Structures are given as C-alpha cells and as structure tokens.
Amino acid sequence: MHDPREYRSMAEREAEWFARLPAQLAFAREHSPAYRRLFAGVDLSLVNSWSALASLPLTRKSALPEEQAELPPFAGYATCAPGEAGRVFASPGPIFEPQGEGADPWRMRRACQAAGFAPGFLVHNSFAYHLTPGGFMLDLGCQAAGCAVFPAGPGQTELQVGAMRALQPDAYVGTPSFLAILLERARDAGVPLPRLKRALVSGEALPAALREQLTGFGVTAYQCYASADLGLIAYEGVPGGGLICDEDILVEIVCPGTGEPVPFGEVGEVVVTTLQRSYPLVRFATGDLSAFSPELSPCGRSGRVLRGWLGRADQTAKVRGLFVHPAQLAALQKRVPEVGRLRLEVSRAGAQDTLTLKAECADTPALLDALSTGFRELTQLRADVVAVLPGSLPADGKVIDDCRSH
C-alpha cells in the first residue's frame, strides 16, 4: 500500500516540513556538539522557509573524514553514542555512520513499494552487509514493505544462482550490473527464474542499454538514489520517469562552492536536510550534481523530481601545484557583480597548464582587468579572461572544466 503523503499537494508538503523544522533544528543544537557550534546565535524558530533554511551553513560530506578524525567517531553531528546506534558502519573515506532510529532507519520502504514489492515477496539482496550499510538499508526497507529477504551479498555468482534456483525470488535489490551477470549466468546454466519480475537497483548508473538488457530478461528495474548518511533521497515511481524526492527530507539544489540555491531547473549540488533525531544532518552537501525536473513523475506522485545523477560538484583542479576550487570562482563573482556565469577551462599546451576564464559580461578593459586581478589574488594563478555573451555558458553546474588528459 502506497503512502498517501506521496500524492498530496506541494503546499501541504512544505507546510508540514516547515512546521517540523524549527523543533528539529533546536533538537540538533541541544544534543549535537557540531550543530551547537554551527547554530550558535541563530534564532531557529525563524527557520521556516526555503530562504531561511538557505541561510544556514552547509555540512559537507567531503569534510567528514577529517572532522571525524579530529573528533571521533561522528565529528559531533550524531546525537547518539556508538553504543546506542544499533549498528555503526564505515563507508569509504573512511566515514563512520550510525544506523539511526526505527525499524526502517533509512526510509527505504517507500522505494521498495514504488518498485512494486508486495507483502509475501522474497527479495534477493546482493548489496554488501560488510562494513558499509547497503545490505542492511535495503534489507530493513524490504522487511518494512512486508517482504522476506535472502541476504546474498555481492560475489559468489554460482552460489547465488544456485540459491535463486532453489528459492525462486520475486524481486532483486542490488546493483544493476550484477543483476545482469546473475541473469546471464542463470540463462547459460538453464536455470529458469519465472517469478523474478522486479528489481530495485542503486549504487551505480543505470544506462538505457542496461535497463533494456534487464527488460529482455523479463525484469523491470526501478532506480533509487540513497546514501549511507542520509538514507533514501529519491526513487522512481515509473522506470525512467525521474527520481521522486523522499517525503521526509528537504532537498535543495545549490551552486557548487557557495551553498546558494540555483534557479529552479538549473544544475547544482544536491543538499539534503533530514528530519531524523539520531543523526540530524542539516544542509548536508552530498557532492552530487543534479537538477529539479519541471515535470512530475508519470506515476502520479506529486513530490519534486530529480533528473538523476549528473556528475560531481567537487570540481577542484590542481594547476601548477596549486588547487583551484569552485568557491574561489564564487568569491570572484561577488567581487565583480557585473558578471553572470563564470567557467574556468583548464587545458595543457605541451607540458604547461593553461587557464582560460570565460565570463558572461561586457567586453570592456576595466571589467576584464578586474576579473584577471581578482582571479590572481584569490588563486595565486594567472588566467586569460575572455568575455562571452550573457546566457552562452551552459547551466550545467560546471564551474571548473578540466580538459587535460590525465
């Protein structure tokens, strides 16, 4: 049974979020040392709109390994001790995460149900249960949807095909590429899998050719977008119909390096605020690029839709021994407000790195000199500055374009 909250109006959804948010932020400040510091002096009762939320600082995923090394294990963001978390996981970085509260702590039930998983299904789960939480995320979500789970984990293809022969699962969760391997191996071994009709896949891209390959085996694949820190972020209600943002998080799309929201529909970094208590991440910058789609999902759910994963926001480039960051270009844009978008192109002429700064602005010597001087002061590097027509740089979230062949 689907959650009726998925079909309400956006006004109803936002009214609920912003009614809950001030108390959630106050709880985070009271119980989390990190947010006690970050929210010091902020009147959290006024954070009841998108613009007010955007005024709060980002919590960057890319900074967590260093922050957790300084203040183990959770850098002060969690409100629970490790022994109270139920399970603690380690993702690459390393980044340590507490499991969270409730029977479905990553809120994966909604994605399972959208993929057509029903009570009484047996689900073959090939996500890893070791160190990282992927296996448990989907395991608990499937159980919350009324399904039984076979905890296969990754690898051992022959053994997994043998288990599928014996158990005849109704559905699969895991990466799409491993599902294709299992289906090919089952076909080659003469193992019929007539009950396996649905899959919920994540952890890697699902290109159209791979989706079609799975369809050829009789399996309809639905994608979801999730992370160990945040749980479910978005999920498909119709294969290929866009990723619907989960009901219990607030998703922003912001300019990489600044945290400022981009115009609706433009590409930017995915930033998520959760409403859970044990790990109350606020404006958590994922490092992923995406954009809101102007269209709703064809399935009838009314939540905002992400266009999918469109790259990484961390476009830092090392040039002549120095790092150039998107935040430096954002600072330059504030220094010279007459410009529109900026894009730094990094290339190589022979053994020498070259920099070209394209700016949507008037082609005047004073403006180009201001950009050149500001860029040199902010980065300690020199760049050729080129004026381009307003609107000519693509709105794809890319600030630094590294064209070198590494």
Side-chain angles (χ1 to χ4, degrees):
M1 181 178 180
H2 296 158
D3 185 346
R5 297 167 70 230
E6 296 174 288
Y7 299 90
R8 57 188 169 165
S9 70
M10 197 62 202
E12 292 175 296
R13 186 174 286 113
E14 291 182 343
E16 180 198 317
W17 286 339
F18 291 118
R20 296 172 62 185
L21 188 59
Q24 170 72 5
L25 298 177
F27 179 89
R29 180 165 63 185
E30 181 179 353
H31 298 280
S32 156
Y35 287 117
R36 190 173 303 125
R37 170 177 52 83
L38 290 172
F39 295 162
V42 178
D43 187 348
L44 297 177
S45 67
L46 300 179
V47 184
N48 56 7
S49 66
W50 289 114
S51 59
L53 178 61
S55 69
L56 298 178
L58 295 177
T59 300
R60 292 200 170 276
K61 181 167 186 170
S62 59
L64 283 184
E66 183 176 342
E67 292 184 25
Q68 290 187 351
E70 293 177 357
L71 183 60
F74 306 129
Y77 290 102
T79 63
C80 62
E84 301 169 335
R87 295 184 182 95
V88 176
F89 298 95
S91 296
I95 298 174
F96 297 99
E97 304 105 356
Q99 177 170 281
E101 66 268 16
D104 182 22
W106 291 278
R107 309 176 316 281
M108 298 301 300
R109 172 190 57 82
R110 192 171 280 119
C112 294
Q113 291 178 326
F117 292 17
F121 272 25
L122 174 64
V123 182
H124 188 98
N125 184 0
S126 74
F127 279 119
Y129 286 76
H130 177 61
L131 290 179
T132 57
F136 284 102
M137 291 172 71
L138 272 299
D139 190 302
L140 296 175
C142 288
Q143 290 191 54
C147 305
V149 180
F150 177 68
Q156 298 183 296
T157 306
E158 300 297 339
L159 288 174
Q160 295 213 31
V161 171
M164 296 172 93
R165 180 203 299 268
L167 297 171
Q168 290 296 316
D170 302 278
Y172 165 94
V173 293
T175 63
S177 61
F178 190 60
L179 174 57
I181 291 171
L182 289 173
L183 293 172
E184 288 174 347
R185 195 67 56 88
R187 177 198 60 198
D188 296 344
V191 175
L193 298 171
R195 297 175 60 90
L196 183 55
K197 298 296 184 184
R198 296 177 179 274
L200 178 62
V201 299
S202 192
E204 63 184 18
L206 178 59
L210 180 53
R211 196 193 290 265
E212 291 172 7
Q213 181 184 0
L214 298 176
T215 302
F217 282 107
V219 178
T220 302
Y222 293 73
Q223 286 190 94
C224 71
Y225 169 33
S227 78
D229 335 81
L230 299 164
L232 182 64
I233 299 173
Y235 57 98
E236 285 185 329
V238 170
L243 294 161
I244 307 157
C245 293
D246 184 54
E247 293 294 321
D248 293 303
I249 57 172
L250 285 75
V251 179
E252 301 171 85
I253 304 294
V254 307
C255 179
T258 72
E260 297 177 1
V262 301
F264 188 88
E266 287 198 8
V267 177
E269 184 175 8
V270 178
V271 168
V272 177
T273 296
T274 70
L275 296 172
Q276 66 173 2
R277 289 298 179 98
S278 58
Y279 201 30
L281 295 171
V282 179
R283 302 204 76 213
F284 189 75
T286 64
D288 293 328
L289 291 177
S290 191
F292 287 124
S293 170
E295 306 294 333
L296 296 180
S297 172
C299 68
R301 293 173 177 84
S302 57
R304 280 180 169 172
V305 172
L306 294 175
R307 284 170 44 196
W309 185 81
L310 301 177
R312 291 292 295 169
D314 184 6
Q315 301 162 34
T316 299
K318 192 173 185 180
V319 181
R320 303 170 203 158
L322 297 173
F323 285 101
V324 185
H325 304 276
Q328 292 169 314
L329 295 182
L332 178 60
Q333 203 162 21
K334 288 186 176 181
R335 281 195 184 193
V336 190
E338 297 90 343
V339 304
R341 292 192 184 91
L342 294 173
R343 176 172 295 207
L344 180 67
E345 293 184 354
V346 186
S347 56
R348 182 169 283 133
Q352 182 69 39
D353 290 333
T354 63
L355 296 174
T356 302
L357 180 64
K358 293 184 176 180
E360 293 182 350
C361 66
D363 190 0
T364 64
L367 202 50
L368 298 185
D369 183 65
L371 286 168
S372 178
T373 300
F375 181 82
R376 187 171 63 251
E377 291 176 350
L378 288 165
T379 67
Q380 309 306 308
L381 295 165
R382 295 180 182 275
D384 294 325
V385 181
V386 177
V388 299
L389 292 175
S392 62
L393 293 177
D396 58 3
K398 186 172 286 188
V399 179
I400 299 175
D401 188 7
D402 194 341
C403 305
R404 297 170 294 181
S405 176
H406 292 282

